[in-house]
Amino acid sequence: MKGLFGRTIFASGLDAVLLRDAAVVVAFHRVQERAEPDDGLTIGVDLFERYCRFFRRHFRVVPLREIVEKLERGERLKRELALTFDDGYRDNFEVAAPVLERLSLPAAFFLVTRWIGTDFVPWWDRERGARHPWMDWDQVRALHGKGFDVGAHTRTHADLGRVAGVEAEGEIAGARLDLERELAAPVDLFAYPYGGAGHLSDANREAVRAAGFRCCCSVLGGVNATGQSPFHLRRVPISPWYESPGQFGFELALGRSVLAE
Ligand SMILES: [Zn+2]
């Protein structure tokens, strides 16, 4: 029902008013051939492709850095949408990237640098008895070589609301060093782990800026308005709980994608 209503809103152009002067950044984790019904971090590749087509039809899909640059210059946002992926799962390279390439869509991949190329299992997968491999550095370089952006998501998925000082700097500036060494290219996009309001202290947001990054992404939901700081960039997590891209659009247009802060 909501999906149908969402499609109607988008089809009628009402969304053009609701989302005027705004940019949307969406966050994915895993894209696989099949998603388990109770897995909130994985979306099936068919649904992923439907999202991509929905984005392309209703937004101007741009690289994340284009939104960052507009915010830096104080320019008006005009219905841009950027795709991002968190953590560095191998299916991003094997399953998601081929769809993005086929549809000519840009995206940014935020990596936990010390997990790339390892068989480390993070607590949220271990808890479910699941194991999802990470990309290796050759795959990361291949993504970068295809023109996708690669950004930092700390070294070990640190909760930047809890760690401070030297440890936080290692996680933030260290992740940038790791990526720049492996890619032999500048890296200036950052998304903080967990992404909630309590997962980034003010001091660590400053440390992100001081480390040479140009943005800091949350997953607080909501849209980004002209004039806001790129260090408070909001992303909407695309959850498999959305019935359809139409429902996602509906919630977004009505301001209901914003998480409680
Ligand atoms: Zn993450």
Side-chain angles (χ1 to χ4, degrees):
M1 185 60 201
K2 271 187 188 163
L4 183 64
F5 190 26
R7 276 199 301 283
T8 311
I9 285 199
F10 270 80
S12 71
L14 193 56
D15 59 308
V17 179
L18 294 166
L19 298 175
R20 195 166 53 196
D21 295 335
V24 179
V25 184
V26 293
F28 292 94
H29 285 87
R30 298 188 287 258
V31 179
Q32 299 181 354
E33 292 305 324
R34 289 193 54 234
E36 298 298 326
D38 62 338
D39 177 355
L41 292 181
T42 305
I43 138 168
V45 66
D46 294 342
L47 182 56
F48 176 68
E49 180 160 346
R50 281 172 58 207
Y51 270 105
C52 288
R53 293 185 183 278
F54 181 88
F55 298 152
R56 208 168 59 162
R57 193 157 54 238
H58 296 290
F59 296 89
R60 294 198 312 113
V61 182
V62 298
L64 179 62
R65 67 176 54 258
E66 196 173 312
I67 295 172
V68 171
E69 282 166 9
K70 278 193 148 187
L71 290 173
E72 285 174 345
R73 293 194 295 254
E75 279 175 34
R76 222 183 108 194
L77 296 169
K78 290 182 190 159
R79 214 177 161 72
E80 292 86 355
L81 181 142
L83 288 105
T84 69
F85 293 80
D86 280 6
D87 299 342
Y89 288 101
R90 191 185 297 168
D91 59 61
N92 294 181
F93 175 79
E94 291 177 340
V95 184
V99 175
L100 296 168
E101 285 186 273
R102 189 151 41 78
L103 299 177
S104 303
L105 295 177
F109 296 85
F110 291 105
L111 310 184
V112 181
T113 58
R114 294 288 160 102
W115 293 355
I116 295 299
T118 74
D119 56 8
F120 183 80
V121 181
W123 63 264
W124 57 86
D125 286 336
R126 197 182 330 122
E127 226 167 46
R128 296 172 44 87
R131 172 178 284 268
H132 299 278
W134 306 109
M135 286 188 268
D136 62 31
W137 284 111
D138 284 338
Q139 291 167 327
V140 174
R141 277 186 286 271
L143 270 187
H144 187 252
K146 291 170 191 287
F148 291 112
D149 277 318
V150 174
H153 194 53
T154 74
R155 273 180 163 160
T156 67
H157 213 274
D159 180 347
L160 294 178
R162 301 175 80 110
V163 303
V166 177
E167 191 185 349
E169 271 169 40
E171 290 283 351
I172 296 165
R176 184 166 187 242
L177 285 175
D178 293 346
L179 288 170
E180 293 193 333
R181 188 180 53 240
E182 294 289 347
L183 295 172
V187 168
D188 52 16
L189 304 175
F190 185 85
Y192 67 93
Y194 306 105
H199 298 130
L200 182 67
S201 65
D202 291 343
N204 283 340
R205 197 187 305 274
E206 273 317 301
V208 170
R209 195 192 302 264
F213 291 105
R214 290 166 68 184
C215 72
C216 186
C217 300
S218 71
V219 277
L220 291 172
V223 301
N224 297 287
T226 298
Q228 82 181 53
S229 161
F231 287 88
H232 289 83
L233 206 54
R234 289 172 167 276
R235 293 186 300 165
V236 184
I238 300 291
S239 150
W241 318 141
Y242 286 127
E243 209 175 277
S244 65
Q247 189 199 343
F248 157 79
F250 171 74
E251 309 277 349
L252 185 73
L254 295 191
R256 300 218 305 228
S257 73
V258 183
L259 303 190
E261 282 177 59

